[in-house]
Amino acid sequence: MSSLATLYPQHLTVLQQRLESALAAHGFDALAVAAGEEKFAFLDDRPYGFQINPHFVHWLPLPQAIGSWLLLQPGAKPRLLYLQAEDYWHAPPATPSGYWTEQVEVEVLRTPELLQTRLQALLPARCAQIAERDAQLDVAGTPNPEGLLAHLHFERGMKTPYELQLMRAASQRAALGHLAAKAAFEAGGAEADIHAAYLAGSDQAERELPYGNIVGLGAHGAVLHWQFQDKQAPATPTSLLIDAGASCQGYAADITRTWLHPEGRGEAARRFAALWQGMETLELALVDQVRAGTDYPAIHLDAHQRIASLLLDAGLVHGLSAEAAVAQGLSSAFFPHGIGHLLGAQVHDVAGLQIDRQGTRRERPAGHPYLRLTRRLEPGMVVTIEPGLYFIPLLLRELQAGPLAGHVDWAAVETLQPFGGIRIEDDVACRAEGAPENLTRDAFGRLQA
């Protein structure tokens, strides 16, 4: 497998070609990209966790380059204006080093004022800048031109071999965390304990996570984005749903696993285990559909068909076909979100509903408002596949009050509610030919070999 040092120059060549095409199409001679600024709590000097501009980290593996700028021009090396402020309150950022620096012109500046002056001197008249509002500098350049952004966002969907290598590394890191979290769960840990085990296992600080971990024991697994971490474990252990990721030089892994506690006994645990096995089987079948030319919404709709069939086979739903259960919205009560999204320098990567460089949108299928991706799959795309089956009190109440209530075995559903739900999520790369690359399963496979 090629090293990052070998892959990075190839990555820059691809990005440079995309940039030159985009600048020419939209009438610009250069592009300035801000890394971003720290943000602070209201009436306080405590900063929130810094989030890098994804356009910046797309070019440079510097996810903590606060206040820095990147200047991009046709026919020239990327130029990094790196802010390394002298400060006795905090340690200054490290001087850039590593495999990528030979490919980039690096200038170190000690104050924001010096950086702004230098950037002003370098920018041509017809320049665009990509920066959030509070990072934009008073320099020549059109901020965030819509057409240019659409052009660049569309092409970011196709990952280079360098990006794929970073995402494999992020998947490996996340898989280590998931195995540590599973062990903590089986040892009787509370959600806070499981979260701490994940951080230790994946060798990440909280601030390094690409998104806040979802660690739901039992019924908490029915809250899709359960945002708390209880410090007390349930008296009766049932299940764990953990959605937790990792980062590698700005690129994300996004993995979900659901586990039944080994002490689970009785009819409800048996039913839940059977549902879990059914979800595992159908998730892998959906993963296999990540192939060049496949219409991603078709995978989402097939997930509904398969989940409806699983509900029928399990006896939770009866008296109508899987097709009718989907058409009439019954499957959505158990699977209310989309099957997945693009993944890369952002967890929910951009341009999921954009089908060309001009920014043309393709809307979601009717009745499926939460699908994040409506494009046809192309080689290099990395997507998540994350079917779910949940027992969500709000949606179950609505279902029970509606015309389809008679098609549900409510007694069986009630016994399963303490288990919350099941979500299984893999990160999958589309190849030019043949079966996809499952970054997640490959990472677990290497660790468990």
Side-chain angles (χ1 to χ4, degrees):
M1 192 173 290
S2 299
S3 68
L4 292 176
T6 300
L7 295 173
Y8 183 69
Q10 302 166 13
H11 172 70
L12 284 188
T13 297
V14 172
L15 295 197
Q16 193 74 23
Q17 291 168 349
R18 293 176 181 176
L19 173 75
E20 292 178 9
S21 173
L23 292 177
H26 298 280
F28 294 105
D29 296 323
L31 174 63
V33 181
E37 301 292 336
E38 274 191 313
K39 296 178 175 59
F40 293 84
F42 181 57
L43 299 178
D44 204 343
D45 61 356
R46 179 173 58 86
Y48 295 112
F50 175 68
Q51 295 294 314
I52 192 76
N53 178 348
H55 285 274
F56 188 93
V57 82
H58 189 43
W59 285 79
L60 300 178
L62 277 176
Q64 293 296 319
I66 298 170
S68 299
W69 280 76
L70 176 64
L71 180 59
L72 305 167
Q73 294 177 280
K77 280 186 175 184
R79 182 183 291 271
L80 170 63
L81 302 183
Y82 186 70
L83 182 60
Q84 191 180 51
E86 295 179 309
D87 179 9
Y88 51 79
W89 291 103
H90 306 95
T95 300
S97 64
Y99 63 85
W100 58 273
T101 53
E102 291 183 4
Q103 311 299 321
V104 178
E105 298 287 349
V106 179
E107 294 186 39
V108 176
L109 296 116
R110 299 298 184 186
T111 69
E113 294 76 19
L114 286 173
L115 192 151
Q116 182 171 359
T117 300
R118 179 60 175 150
L119 188 58
Q120 181 77 63
L122 290 170
L123 292 182
R126 296 197 312 166
C127 181
Q129 58 173 301
I130 298 179
E132 55 190 328
R133 184 177 298 277
D134 60 357
Q136 292 172 15
L137 296 178
D138 185 18
V139 296
T142 304
N144 303 323
E146 186 175 333
L148 181 66
L149 282 175
H151 193 127
L152 295 173
H153 285 171
F154 179 78
E155 294 193 325
R156 250 178 58 196
M158 284 69 76
K159 305 299 184 286
T160 65
Y162 168 79
E163 292 174 282
L164 290 172
Q165 191 79 316
L166 291 178
M167 296 177 78
R168 292 184 189 106
S171 295
Q172 192 80 5
R173 196 176 195 183
L176 284 164
H178 275 272
L179 292 178
K182 180 175 183 283
F185 164 60
E186 292 179 345
E191 290 168 351
D193 302 319
I194 295 166
H195 173 67
Y198 181 89
L199 293 177
S202 61
D203 192 26
Q204 295 182 103
E206 187 92 33
R207 66 180 181 277
E208 295 177 278
L209 294 172
Y211 59 93
N213 285 351
I214 299 166
V215 184
L217 288 173
H220 293 166
V223 181
L224 299 184
H225 287 175
W226 172 253
Q227 69 269 46
F228 305 112
Q229 290 157 6
D230 285 359
K231 295 181 180 179
Q232 185 69 39
T236 302
T238 52
S239 59
L240 166 67
L241 189 156
I242 175 168
D243 185 336
S247 292
C248 180
Q249 297 181 24
Y251 281 79
D254 180 4
I255 298 172
T256 308
R257 287 296 183 264
T258 305
W259 307 110
L260 177 67
H261 198 276
E263 295 179 6
R265 299 289 185 273
E267 179 63 14
R270 184 195 66 77
R271 277 183 174 269
F272 187 81
L275 287 173
W276 179 90
Q277 186 58 63
M279 290 294 290
E280 176 80 357
T281 299
L282 74 83
E283 192 266 353
L284 289 171
L286 296 169
V287 164
D288 192 58
Q289 296 176 30
V290 178
R291 296 177 185 243
T294 297
D295 193 39
Y296 191 81
I299 302 178
H300 173 77
L301 296 174
D302 187 45
H304 272 271
Q305 292 286 337
R306 291 173 183 271
I307 289 170
S309 295
L310 178 59
L311 290 167
L312 287 162
D313 292 344
L316 297 177
V317 172
H318 53 78
L320 74 175
S321 66
E323 290 75 15
V326 175
Q328 297 178 51
L330 191 153
S331 62
S332 293
F334 295 92
F335 174 39
H337 59 76
I339 191 60
H341 50 83
L342 288 169
L343 181 68
Q346 293 173 267
V347 174
H348 297 134
D349 220 350
V350 290
L353 306 184
Q354 182 183 322
I355 59 172
D356 58 29
R357 292 170 180 80
Q358 290 70 47
T360 306
R361 281 173 60 95
R362 181 187 180 194
E363 298 304 330
R364 304 168 177 93
H368 299 272
Y370 301 114
L371 182 60
R372 294 178 179 268
L373 177 57
T374 57
R375 292 167 66 168
R376 287 194 177 275
L377 298 179
E378 298 185 48
M381 283 185 173
V382 179
V383 300
T384 65
I385 296 293
E386 47 184 302
L389 194 164
Y390 313 91
F391 304 97
I392 301 172
L394 171 63
L395 299 183
L396 293 176
R397 286 196 299 271
E398 293 176 354
L399 182 60
Q400 197 162 21
L404 298 173
H407 294 290
V408 178
D409 183 340
W410 292 106
V413 166
E414 185 177 358
T415 66
L416 287 165
Q417 282 193 262
F419 294 83
I422 301 164
R423 182 163 68 249
I424 301 170
E425 177 184 17
D426 290 344
D427 303 339
V428 188
C430 180
R431 291 177 164 136
E433 295 180 351
E437 177 185 1
N438 191 323
L439 307 179
T440 303
R441 303 278 173 158
D442 288 351
F444 279 110
R446 286 190 292 270
L447 294 174
Q448 296 170 326

